[in-house]
Amino acid sequence: MDHVVIIGNGISGVTAARYIRKLSNKQITIISAESDYFFSRTALMYVYMGHMKFEHTQPYENWFWKKNKIDLVNGFVKTIDTDHKTLVFENGNTLNYDKLIIATGSKPNKFGWPGQDLNGVLGMYNKQDLENLEKLAPNNKLCKRAVIIGGGLIGIELAEMLSSRQIPVTFLVRESSFWNGVLPEGESTMINEHIKSHHIDLRLSSNLKEIISDENGRVKSIIIKETGEEIPCNLVGLTAGVSPNIEFITSSKIETNRGVLVNRYLETNIPDVYAIGDCAEQREAIGNRKPIEAVWYTGRMMGEVIAQTICRNKMTYNPGHWFNSAKFFDIEYQTYGWVFAKPKENHAHFHWKHADNTKCITIEYNTITHEFIGINTFGIRMRHETFDTWLTEKRTIDFVINHLSDANFDPEFYKRFENDILATYKNQLQNV
């Protein structure tokens, strides 16, 4: 009987284990050094904000694993010997495998800043980060100010978390406008204003120079590179993106670049070794997607696909149309298809924004064929299935605009603003 070993107990690894068990009676072992049991990483912020307890982030009861004959090993893999199909742990123990799935996820980026390893510096990615945050910033008496470095989705989550405990936050974003490498100008500007409205000290076009230590090796302040300004703080959150967590693999015969290199079947260059989730890098990007995708739902999809391959139903990874969602304080964000910060060649944007500056829509479309390419929505909840169908059917922007109510979770919302959206659309078309 094949022994399938999975390194990593995030959404990718656990999904692979669950589906392999559904499809077979293979021996399955999941290895993790982070936590004994799988938990929802996206829920960590709500634990800190008091909306749930950590045990509520675990979708499965502790008995689930034994009942489903999935062995759990708490340990750190130091090296992989692919010649002998053996894992060597940090404590010297070894474990043999027949099939190996690498699902080690991501780690926060560090760019060699002086002081980046001081006590009081953390990411916001794993269970240990949550525990450290609870110790370092339990309230605004022990944490007088926090500084967040990096303007991505994890940074905005951390800002909201700290703000929920009335801890003052300075937010250093290197871009001239928040997330403007992803969001079109109108949306990025709206989010800038929304962040400031929550009393966050947003510093655009600002980079970290160094983190200063006090006499006890703890964070005392940071220095801004551009101005030399020193900002006293007790906590520094490093949220300048993530990288595949693969250091222990680079000494093996498994080929890596930024991530573990895989083909469309999620196979590495070594037989019986696969990689999925945030740590996997496609040798050739799929459409407009990036070769590495640190996204929850793609990790889950990869887990399902690799389970089929392991169980002799070899399957390619085909993620379909791009979508994603996030939250910027009170504003929910969804994206379906492709809306680029600046429209691609022969493309244009239709942009509508509500007067309250918390709701907007941007649609990218082809100016020659009028084909609908993608949509961003802020403050308006839309139906994934509807847009997925429209993208597959290659509908026109005219069709999408005139049927937006079909995609809206709140038809009353669209009814209230339908005339304004249509008037804006007609006005923008006349000016093209």
Side-chain angles (χ1 to χ4, degrees):
M1 179 171 43
D2 275 350
H3 183 197
V4 181
V5 175
I6 302 167
I7 309 176
N9 75 340
I11 186 63
S12 304
V14 165
T15 300
R18 286 181 50 240
Y19 276 78
I20 291 168
R21 176 54 67 239
K22 284 180 182 180
L23 297 166
S24 75
N25 197 33
K26 296 179 188 293
Q27 182 184 355
I28 303 171
T29 301
I30 298 178
I31 301 167
S32 173
E34 180 185 2
S35 61
D36 290 333
Y37 300 105
F38 168 62
F39 65 92
S40 173
R41 211 172 291 284
T42 53
L44 288 178
M45 68 180 294
Y46 300 109
V47 177
Y48 182 81
M49 292 170 72
H51 301 319
M52 58 172 64
K53 294 182 179 178
F54 181 76
E55 53 265 32
H56 300 150
T57 69
Q58 296 178 187
Y60 308 107
E61 299 288 348
N62 293 349
W63 50 257
F64 171 88
W65 309 101
K66 191 171 183 180
K67 181 184 176 185
N68 286 278
K69 297 180 182 175
I70 298 172
D71 298 324
L72 304 178
V73 173
N74 194 312
F76 186 83
V77 176
K78 187 178 177 184
T79 55
I80 302 174
D81 179 353
T82 53
D83 290 337
H84 299 96
K85 292 192 168 185
T86 303
L87 305 179
V88 181
F89 289 85
E90 204 167 44
N91 62 8
N93 290 343
T94 60
L95 182 69
N96 293 330
Y97 65 85
D98 295 303
K99 308 274 189 189
L100 177 65
I101 301 173
I102 301 166
T104 47
S106 298
K107 58 180 178 53
N109 286 333
K110 291 184 176 181
F111 294 104
W113 295 296
Q116 68 182 18
D117 296 315
L118 288 172
N119 184 16
V121 181
L122 48 74
M124 194 54 238
Y125 187 75
N126 56 37
K127 183 172 182 277
Q128 286 72 29
D129 289 332
L130 177 68
E131 290 165 352
N132 286 337
L133 188 65
E134 195 63 68
K135 288 176 193 168
L136 294 164
N139 52 50
N140 56 14
K141 292 186 176 67
L142 286 175
C143 185
K144 303 291 187 188
R145 176 168 291 276
V147 175
I148 298 171
I149 313 298
L153 297 181
I154 299 174
I156 197 85
E157 284 184 0
L158 184 54
E160 182 176 357
M161 291 163 70
L162 293 162
S163 179
S164 74
R165 298 199 186 185
Q166 288 77 51
I167 294 169
V169 174
T170 294
F171 200 178
L172 263 57
V173 175
R174 70 178 180 178
E175 291 82 13
S176 58
S177 185
F178 186 85
W179 219 31
N180 64 359
V182 177
L183 300 179
E185 184 181 359
E187 299 173 354
S188 178
T189 301
M190 184 180 83
I191 297 302
N192 290 341
E193 293 170 12
H194 191 64
I195 292 169
K196 292 174 184 175
S197 76
H198 284 79
H199 310 293
I200 303 297
D201 175 25
L202 179 63
R203 306 291 189 96
L204 298 170
S205 302
S206 297
N207 286 275
L208 174 67
K209 181 183 180 185
E210 63 179 311
I211 305 169
I212 307 295
S213 171
D214 68 9
E215 62 276 8
N216 300 313
R218 286 201 52 169
V219 169
K220 181 179 80 171
S221 61
I222 63 100
I223 306 288
I224 295 178
K225 185 177 180 180
E226 286 73 15
T227 63
E229 180 186 355
E230 182 173 3
I231 299 177
C233 59
N234 311 103
L235 177 81
V236 174
L238 299 183
T239 63
V242 293
S243 302
N245 183 22
I246 62 164
E247 280 81 0
F248 72 103
I249 299 167
T250 53
S251 60
S252 74
K253 293 182 178 180
I254 301 166
E255 287 183 5
T256 62
N257 183 33
R258 283 189 60 232
V260 180
L261 289 167
V262 296
N263 61 16
R264 287 289 189 273
Y265 295 99
L266 306 172
E267 299 167 322
T268 68
N269 63 305
I270 303 293
D272 298 324
V273 179
Y274 311 86
I276 57 177
D278 296 15
C279 69
E281 179 178 354
Q282 289 284 327
R283 289 181 183 273
E284 294 179 20
I286 301 172
N288 285 314
R289 289 171 176 269
K290 293 179 180 176
I292 300 170
E293 290 188 322
V295 183
W296 183 89
Y297 80 90
T298 56
R300 188 196 68 225
M301 291 171 74
M302 288 187 207
E304 294 177 16
V305 168
I306 205 61
Q308 294 287 342
T309 294
I310 293 278
C311 297
R312 300 187 179 179
N313 178 27
K314 195 169 181 179
M315 187 177 286
T316 57
Y317 169 59
N318 179 19
H321 299 297
W322 168 254
F323 73 92
N324 202 3
S325 62
K327 193 164 74 71
F328 301 92
F329 285 91
D330 314 311
I331 300 178
E332 289 189 32
Y333 157 73
Q334 294 170 294
T335 184
Y336 303 104
W338 297 104
V339 179
F340 299 97
K342 290 186 171 56
K344 295 290 185 184
E345 188 179 356
N346 296 325
H347 287 191
H349 284 166
F350 161 67
H351 183 68
W352 170 85
K353 186 170 75 170
H354 184 249
D356 70 5
N357 210 27
T358 66
K359 303 174 189 72
C360 72
I361 295 169
T362 303
I363 297 176
E364 183 149 336
Y365 64 98
N366 186 303
T367 54
I368 298 169
T369 65
H370 283 204
E371 182 186 335
F372 166 59
I373 307 296
I375 183 169
N376 287 350
T377 73
F378 286 81
I380 309 163
R381 195 175 290 183
M382 296 287 195
R383 298 183 191 277
H384 172 209
E385 298 80 6
T386 306
F387 286 117
D388 203 55
T389 300
W390 290 346
L391 287 163
T392 299
E393 293 173 349
K394 298 184 181 296
R395 292 292 189 176
T396 65
I397 183 171
D398 289 343
F399 178 91
V400 171
I401 289 289
N402 284 290
H403 291 82
L404 267 183
S405 57
D406 296 346
N408 206 304
F409 270 112
D410 179 9
E412 278 302 309
F413 171 88
Y414 188 69
K415 201 172 178 181
R416 291 199 304 274
F417 302 111
E418 180 178 9
N419 290 339
D420 189 25
I421 293 170
L422 285 170
T424 303
Y425 175 61
K426 288 173 183 173
N427 186 46
Q428 286 189 22
L429 270 192
Q430 285 170 0
N431 293 324
V432 170

